Amino acid sequence: MVAEHMAKAFDEEITQLRGLIAEMGGLAELAISESMEALVKGSQSLADSVIARDLRIDALEQDVDKLAIQIIALRAPMADDLREVIASLKIAGILERIGDYAKNIAKRSGKIDGREAFEPLTLIPAMSEIAEEMVHDVLTAYAARDSALAQEVMERDAKVDGFYDAIFRNLVSFMVERPATITTAAQLLFVARNLERIGDHATNVAEQVYFAATGDYLGDRAERPEN
Amino acid sequence: MTNKIRRPWAGMTLATVVLASLGAAGMPAPMVVLTGLAWLASLWIPRMGAGESAVRTPTARTDHEALARAAMCAALEQVGLAIVLMRGHRIIAANAAARAEFGAHIVGQDARVALRHPDAVKLLYLADGGSVTIRGLSSSGSLWQLTRQRIDERYWTIELRDRSAEADIGRAHTDFVANASHELRTPLSAIIGYVETLAEDPGRVDADTTARFLGIVLREARRMQSLVADLMSLSQLEAEKHDVPTDHIDLALLAARVVGEFPPGMVSTGQSSGPRVVLLRPDEPNSPIGAIGDTKQLEQMLRNLIDNALKYGDSARPVEVSLARGKRGMAMITVRDHGTGIAPDHLPHLTRRFYRTDPGRSRAAGGTGLGLAIVKHIVERHRGKLDISSTLGEGTQVTIHLPFSSPAAPPASKPASKSVSQPGERVDQTAAPANATLTNEILPGAKAPKAIAGPVS
């Protein structure tokens, strides 16, 4: 836990910063689940609301930027406070990207034909569930400053990658057999690609959470001597 | 004390002057003295009060507030409902239920960090509080109702009510009809398909194929029959859920009878001719265990459990049924197989209708998907308890606890009302009285005392 700061205003600002990040995270999570629902059910209105809500994520990212810069400029934070601010700045950028991927999935939902008879469409929600859970858990790790959970989320990325490979092969063979479905299948390829990227970005957030909590970088932790 | 309080010189002087002039004006001396004393005393009272409060006011109020808040937090701590206390947007306290659900880290954080969902964030910004229902707040598929209420200008509470279970129940009812029709449709479409083939051109299908097709039709029709039978018993059980059964039965006899129904010999492998089901009595091998229940239902319960154990157990090792007097007046029936076991994830759902851990295997074995749901209902009607435990690779064990009575000897002539009104007198002190009382507790509405009144063998 961060110790109580002598300057109460500083403490308030850090809390506000974390609140903004969490708000972005919540919006990104909802964007993923709703874009997937829109894709599976073919609901244009739901897709539109996902696209519209992305503006709010963008606005929040700007708020985080401003606040983080203001904190660095006025308070000159040190040690874990500085890590917290830097990590928040980076996480905001990543969450904004995640929101964009979800928005992209929502945009593609209107271009899927023959939803009922399209078998690979059942694989994609399963993949999305894993990616969504990664985002959910990494945000919980951020809220709890839980480095162990962050590390666990990173390990889950392999599952999403495995799913992506399976869906890729599945879709390609589907296209070979039924050339009429190429347009739809190509759209779904991009959807799967977006989900795979969301998984990668969840790992990136996990790295930042780990960094903010421990001061170590997860990537080169193995090479470092124990101290 | 006195050195802290400044003497009210001005007031004293004023009092002396006024009193002196009153005395001069012709007031009686005792009255003047009394008034003077009262006046002087009244000068000190507000001073002392003011002196104390001047020193203490801020701390006293904070102490008081902190005390009140601590008392409130202590009172809310063990409440089953998740409740958080907030100052502005920051969570300053969360009770045990809230910490268990959302993690201990939420205390001291911005509420957005704890709740995160856009609808929850919207609720935080509502000026007058309010209530929202949110899907997927803690985990995907969960349903929460959040109510934010104002305490005073700075403090708020949020009450978080988990509605997931209620949503599940509502969904379960609608699912049931859909599932039941789906389950009936599967064998029906097989039957229609095969019969159509046979009927279209009788000459073109050879005798072997005809026999095979008819075999399939018969098997599917039987499956439909058992499914309909299961559905009927389930709806019957639902209907009499609240009537406590009244038959006096001997569980030992009943178990022996049901176990005896299963013929010996390994049908599937044909290797061994040993018994497929064995009945074990670890304690008092031959004594009866009396209980109050519905014979047909208890037989069905045991039959379903043994059926399951045979279907999913290791066919080379027998299914063990054991019967014992457990603690606290409960008889214990255990059915154990040595099969592959069931993954822990499935265990909570096993008693749900049409829930299958492996749908293909269950249907191939002729399962309806209703067996354990029926068992659960029967156990509930008998005020018993059902426990399923399983270890992967070792097997599954189903344990049922049923309240037992003292050895059964139904005294049909005794009027029930009399026994109920004076149960204490009718308890035979040589028979285990603890069991008798427990039976009374467990079956408050039942005619249990009738059994207790009977002679003890």
Side-chain angles (χ1 to χ4, degrees):
Chain A
M1 287 300 280
V2 173
E4 279 288 312
H5 290 103
M6 293 298 287
K8 196 159 173 279
F10 180 38
D11 199 38
E12 285 297 331
E13 281 173 4
I14 293 272
T15 309
Q16 167 70 2
L17 189 66
R18 291 175 64 80
L20 286 172
I21 295 281
E23 198 178 337
M24 283 185 79
L27 284 164
E29 268 181 75
L30 191 70
I32 305 171
S33 64
E34 286 198 348
S35 67
M36 198 42 57
E37 202 181 327
L39 181 81
V40 173
K41 290 187 182 158
S43 159
Q44 191 56 47
S45 60
L46 200 56
D48 289 344
S49 81
V50 172
I51 294 165
R53 219 183 304 111
D54 192 56
L55 290 175
R56 173 81 186 131
I57 301 188
D58 295 351
L60 278 169
E61 194 208 359
Q62 282 187 7
D63 289 353
V64 171
D65 276 6
K66 275 184 213 149
L67 186 57
I69 290 168
Q70 184 195 324
I71 292 175
I72 294 173
L74 296 182
R75 313 271 176 203
M78 310 250 272
D80 50 358
D81 292 332
L82 180 61
R83 288 207 304 275
E84 177 90 50
V85 176
I86 297 290
S88 299
L89 202 55
K90 288 190 170 185
I91 290 173
I94 303 169
L95 288 175
E96 194 270 332
R97 288 298 302 150
I98 291 180
D100 283 350
Y101 287 125
K103 181 174 78 174
N104 191 270
I105 294 174
K107 277 182 181 165
R108 290 176 195 279
S109 77
K111 296 174 186 159
I112 309 288
D113 299 321
R115 221 172 233 99
E116 287 75 26
F118 210 74
E119 180 224 345
L121 203 53
T122 54
L123 274 172
I124 288 185
M127 178 179 180
S128 151
E129 216 166 89
I130 303 178
E132 218 181 299
E133 222 171 73
M134 281 177 75
V135 175
H136 181 89
D137 288 352
V138 83
L139 289 168
T140 307
Y142 173 77
R145 298 188 170 93
D146 184 343
S147 56
L149 180 60
Q151 216 172 343
E152 197 262 314
V153 169
M154 289 189 70
E155 283 154 16
R156 260 187 264 166
D157 191 41
K159 262 206 270 185
V160 178
D161 292 349
F163 245 108
Y164 176 62
D165 291 343
I167 289 175
F168 186 87
R169 278 197 301 274
N170 193 309
L171 282 170
V172 169
S173 60
F174 208 81
M175 285 192 272
V176 172
E177 286 164 24
R178 278 156 276 213
T181 63
I182 282 181
T183 325
T184 303
Q187 295 291 347
L188 288 183
L189 268 181
F190 279 110
V191 170
R193 174 81 188 148
N194 285 339
L195 289 173
E196 193 265 339
R197 295 299 302 148
I198 288 175
D200 285 350
H201 279 315
T203 347
N204 293 340
V205 176
E207 271 171 29
Q208 293 305 320
V209 171
Y210 191 90
F211 168 70
T214 65
D216 277 342
Y217 290 99
L218 251 182
D220 51 45
R221 214 168 48 96
E223 288 94 49
R224 282 198 183 181
E226 290 286 322
N227 46 358
Chain B
M1 197 73 204
T2 35
N3 53 7
K4 274 189 189 169
I5 297 165
R6 289 196 299 111
R7 284 168 210 271
W9 293 119
M12 283 160 71
T13 321
L14 182 68
T16 322
V17 171
V18 171
L19 288 173
S21 52
L22 273 178
M27 224 178 158
M31 276 294 284
V32 173
V33 172
L34 271 177
T35 323
L37 280 175
W39 194 331
L40 284 174
S42 74
L43 282 175
W44 251 268
I45 290 166
R47 278 270 144 177
M48 283 170 73
E52 274 189 352
S53 60
V55 179
R56 289 211 191 151
T57 304
T59 39
R61 237 180 76 202
T62 354
D63 277 0
H64 193 248
E65 250 181 36
L67 259 176
R69 202 189 311 146
M72 198 166 79
C73 290
L76 292 177
E77 176 67 12
Q78 294 308 327
V79 174
L81 209 62
I83 297 169
V84 297
L85 183 62
M86 309 209 314
R87 188 172 54 217
H89 282 176
R90 195 192 278 245
I91 295 174
I92 54 168
N95 72 348
R99 292 198 308 271
E101 200 59 53
F102 297 95
H105 64 266
I106 63 170
V107 179
Q109 304 239 26
D110 190 304
R112 285 175 293 178
V113 176
L115 303 173
R116 205 157 71 217
H117 193 284
D119 290 348
V121 173
K122 225 175 276 170
L123 176 72
L124 293 175
Y125 287 120
L126 289 181
D128 303 317
S131 183
V132 287
T133 305
I134 296 171
R135 185 167 289 284
L137 186 68
S138 58
S139 58
S140 64
S142 66
L143 192 71
W144 288 83
Q145 188 185 2
L146 269 60
T147 311
R148 180 164 169 259
Q149 277 162 335
R150 182 189 281 282
I151 301 176
D152 58 25
E153 66 274 14
R154 282 197 302 162
Y155 293 100
W156 296 79
T157 56
I158 297 184
E159 177 189 295
L160 303 111
R161 203 181 284 267
D162 190 352
R163 297 257 183 226
S164 317
E166 291 159 50
D168 274 357
I169 290 168
R171 210 176 315 129
H173 280 291
T174 47
D175 281 358
F176 177 65
V177 178
N179 284 338
S181 20
H182 175 75
E183 294 286 331
L184 285 169
R185 206 166 51 194
T186 322
L188 203 54
S189 58
I191 291 171
I192 291 172
Y194 285 106
V195 172
E196 256 175 11
T197 315
L198 290 174
E200 256 173 19
D201 198 349
R204 270 175 53 190
V205 184
D206 60 67
D208 278 359
T209 317
T210 310
R212 197 162 57 83
F213 280 10
L214 285 175
I216 295 171
V217 168
L218 186 64
R219 199 185 66 216
E220 293 296 322
R222 288 245 164 86
R223 209 172 95 195
M224 274 183 76
Q225 192 181 28
S226 58
L227 189 58
V228 171
D230 277 359
L231 284 171
M232 297 278 284
S233 30
L234 209 51
S235 76
Q236 168 105 30
L237 276 165
E238 288 262 273
E240 53 187 27
K241 189 158 64 178
H242 300 293
D243 314 341
V244 179
T246 53
D247 296 352
H248 294 275
I249 52 165
D250 176 6
L251 286 176
L253 261 177
L254 185 136
R257 196 165 55 235
V258 175
V259 169
E261 284 173 14
F262 290 88
M266 306 294 172
V267 173
S268 53
T269 58
Q271 285 166 358
S272 146
S273 62
R276 291 196 299 159
V277 186
V278 290
L279 180 62
L280 305 172
R281 291 291 307 275
D283 58 337
E284 347 157 41
N286 295 312
S287 68
I289 297 183
I292 294 167
D294 185 312
T295 314
K296 275 177 74 180
Q297 288 186 358
L298 290 177
E299 278 178 6
Q300 187 184 12
M301 172 191 88
L302 203 51
R303 211 175 286 134
N304 281 358
L305 290 178
I306 296 174
D307 253 342
N308 277 349
L310 285 172
K311 266 183 222 154
Y312 304 111
D314 180 354
S315 57
R317 294 177 66 183
V319 169
E320 291 158 16
V321 180
S322 66
L323 183 63
R325 282 170 201 270
K327 288 175 197 146
R328 294 177 40 86
M330 300 292 252
M332 216 168 73
I333 306 171
T334 309
V335 179
R336 181 202 299 269
D337 69 48
H338 299 280
T340 49
I342 303 163
D345 292 357
H346 291 301
L347 288 180
H349 308 289
L350 287 178
T351 55
R352 266 169 47 190
R353 292 157 184 193
F354 302 119
Y355 186 85
R356 291 178 169 106
T357 57
D358 180 351
R361 190 174 167 198
S362 161
R363 290 214 184 81
T368 58
L370 291 171
L372 277 177
I374 291 173
V375 169
K376 183 183 149 221
H377 274 86
I378 294 175
V379 172
E380 274 174 4
R381 190 181 164 216
H382 286 80
R383 307 291 185 267
K385 240 182 79 197
L386 170 69
D387 281 317
I388 306 176
S389 61
S390 186
T391 316
L392 279 177
E394 281 180 28
T396 306
Q397 174 177 336
V398 183
T399 310
I400 286 163
H401 295 265
L402 287 177
F404 68 81
S405 57
S406 63
S413 57
K414 296 225 160 73
S417 59
K418 205 178 166 191
S419 334
V420 171
S421 62
Q422 295 171 314
E425 285 178 24
R426 302 195 160 264
V427 174
D428 188 336
Q429 291 302 317
T430 56
N435 286 349
T437 1
L438 266 172
T439 314
N440 278 338
E441 277 173 18
I442 293 159
L443 300 165
K447 289 156 190 160
K450 275 209 291 186
I452 292 154
V456 179
S457 54

